[in-house]
Amino acid sequence: GHCQPDVVAAASRQLAVLNTNNRFLHDNLVLCAQRITDLMPEPLSVCFFVNSGSEANDLALRLARAHTKHQDVITLDHAYHGHLSTLIEISPYKFRQIPNHKQADWVHVAPVPDVYRGKYRESEHPGEDMGALYAEDVRRLCEKATAGGGGVACYIAESLQSCGGQVVPPPNYLREVFRHVRAAGGVCICDEVQVGFGRVGSHWWAFQLQGEDIVPDIVTMGKPMGNGYPVAAVVTTRAVADSFRDTGVEYFNTYGGNPVSCAVANAVLQVIEDQKLLQHAQDVGDYLLARCRELQGRHSLIGDVRGVGLFVGIELVVDRTTREPATAEAQHVLSR
């Protein structure tokens, strides 16, 4: 919540003592990196600290390209990964709004795995493996990128797509996507900027919803990491980090990993654990989903209710059969 007292106290204490850049050794940075990597599956073990989700995702692209020696990026339709120039290029949610924008040759857009109104709908493919069906489009893009000479540097996606419509991918999606991307020589990036830190309730990270065997090569995080204070991070494997180091281009970020930011992040992690906020997210989320589904039973305007934990979407439609979006009605509900 706003002005959470433990977080405020941690920031105030550290700010009163010292705030400097991370060329100067400080326990807060090491402790924060240790706490975060302890929450990650092996072999995710190396932290880079930055100030925002945008910086994190931009660095993730650099890491992927340094490791694979490839250039091309596979992203999802409706994706949003940040406001830097590199990220607008891989964010159809933004670049489709730019007049006369030409999609970069190194960008390949896969359909969002939305089983309600996406390219493949559960209602039209009963009993099929929807995850594998959507992943097949990613496989085809891997072939296209490889044939074009750029090679696949990475696949990047939010573990649950947020701005693009609160989309929960079907089971087996990431497993199959990761298999195709790695076979093409690319690495897999999960963007947890909006959905990480226990929001889904059952797990710390949303990618874990797809199975304990699902381990990205790079994970980015931000927004909730500082409870409103600017702090973000990239977590990756030793192999990827070594490839980046071997380029000879040192990564330095003046404010990334400063003692105050890390004090805040450490306090946030402590509060999440002490107040059992994962369980809270699950309990409140289950209640919210159940009540929204009751509303769906009473109002034909509600076509779909979906989500997990405190990540919930309500889709409004003019007609439940055609699934025509009820745009005006949605705008009215938002403004009310």
Side-chain angles (χ1 to χ4, degrees):
H2 293 283
C3 304
Q4 205 285 337
D6 300 304
V7 176
V8 172
S12 301
R13 276 195 308 271
Q14 186 57 53
L15 197 55
V17 176
L18 176 73
N19 197 23
T20 185
N21 70 65
N22 65 22
R23 288 192 194 279
F24 298 91
L25 302 180
H26 199 281
D27 287 354
N28 285 359
L29 184 150
V30 183
L31 293 170
C32 190
Q34 186 68 60
R35 293 190 75 153
I36 290 171
T37 54
D38 282 349
L39 297 170
M40 288 283 169
E42 288 288 342
L44 293 165
S45 58
V46 181
C47 268
F48 293 86
F49 287 104
V50 294
N51 305 290
S52 69
S54 291
E55 282 192 355
N57 283 329
D58 182 72
L59 177 57
L61 293 185
R62 289 179 61 191
L63 290 169
R65 286 170 167 164
H67 185 64
T68 63
K69 308 296 190 289
H70 296 157
Q71 186 73 10
D72 289 19
V73 176
I74 297 173
T75 186
L76 294 182
D77 203 5
H78 310 300
Y80 175 61
H81 293 291
H83 62 78
L84 301 182
S85 297
T86 49
L87 305 174
I88 294 297
E89 293 283 5
I90 63 167
S91 298
Y93 181 79
K94 290 293 185 182
F95 74 61
R96 295 201 195 285
Q97 301 176 42
I98 302 172
N100 305 315
H101 177 80
K102 183 180 183 299
Q103 184 177 315
D105 293 341
W106 52 269
V107 176
H108 308 274
V109 180
V112 58
D114 178 357
V115 299
Y116 178 71
R117 72 155 61 254
K119 179 178 179 180
Y120 308 114
R121 300 183 178 187
E122 212 162 30
S123 58
E124 297 168 0
H125 297 269
E128 289 190 46
D129 184 339
M130 299 300 291
L133 194 59
Y134 270 107
E136 185 62 18
D137 283 63
V138 175
R139 186 191 64 76
R140 284 192 283 268
L141 289 175
C142 287
E143 287 184 351
K144 178 185 173 188
T146 304
V152 179
C154 64
Y155 162 90
I156 182 170
E158 290 182 279
S159 303
L160 304 171
Q161 194 177 69
S162 53
C163 290
Q166 306 297 105
V167 177
V168 179
N172 202 36
Y173 176 69
L174 286 184
R175 184 175 293 106
E176 290 299 306
V177 165
F178 284 14
R179 184 168 66 84
H180 297 320
V181 171
R182 287 166 175 160
V187 297
C188 302
I189 304 171
C190 279
D191 178 341
E192 293 270 341
V193 171
Q194 293 206 49
V195 298
F197 289 92
R199 182 175 178 177
V200 299
S202 57
H203 298 83
W204 272 93
W205 313 108
F207 68 79
Q208 294 171 315
L209 292 167
Q210 290 267 306
E212 293 303 317
D213 59 318
I214 305 304
V215 182
D217 301 290
I218 302 171
V219 178
T220 59
M221 57 193 69
K223 294 187 195 308
M225 185 173 173
N227 195 48
Y229 194 90
V231 57
V234 180
V235 184
T236 189
T237 65
R238 170 59 60 189
V240 172
D242 284 350
S243 294
F244 189 58
R245 180 200 60 202
D246 291 346
T247 64
V249 181
E250 179 195 34
Y251 183 76
F252 177 68
N253 188 314
T254 302
Y255 296 108
N258 71 72
V260 177
S261 292
C262 290
V264 168
N266 285 330
V268 168
L269 289 166
Q270 194 64 49
V271 171
I272 291 173
E273 291 179 1
D274 290 348
Q275 298 187 8
K276 298 180 172 56
L277 294 186
L278 270 73
Q279 186 64 52
H280 183 69
Q282 187 158 21
D283 293 344
V284 177
D286 288 349
Y287 176 80
L288 178 59
L289 278 164
R291 295 305 301 272
C292 287
R293 284 170 180 148
E294 286 179 27
L295 283 175
Q296 185 182 15
R298 301 206 303 271
H299 300 282
S300 61
L301 180 67
I302 300 176
D304 192 35
V305 174
R306 55 181 177 263
V308 57
L310 287 174
F311 179 88
V312 176
I314 302 169
E315 183 143 355
L316 306 186
V317 294
V318 174
D319 182 285
R320 284 184 172 178
T321 304
T322 65
R323 303 184 183 180
E324 179 187 343
T327 306
E329 291 85 347
Q331 189 58 55
H332 176 72
V333 170
L334 285 172
S335 59
R336 292 287 288 179

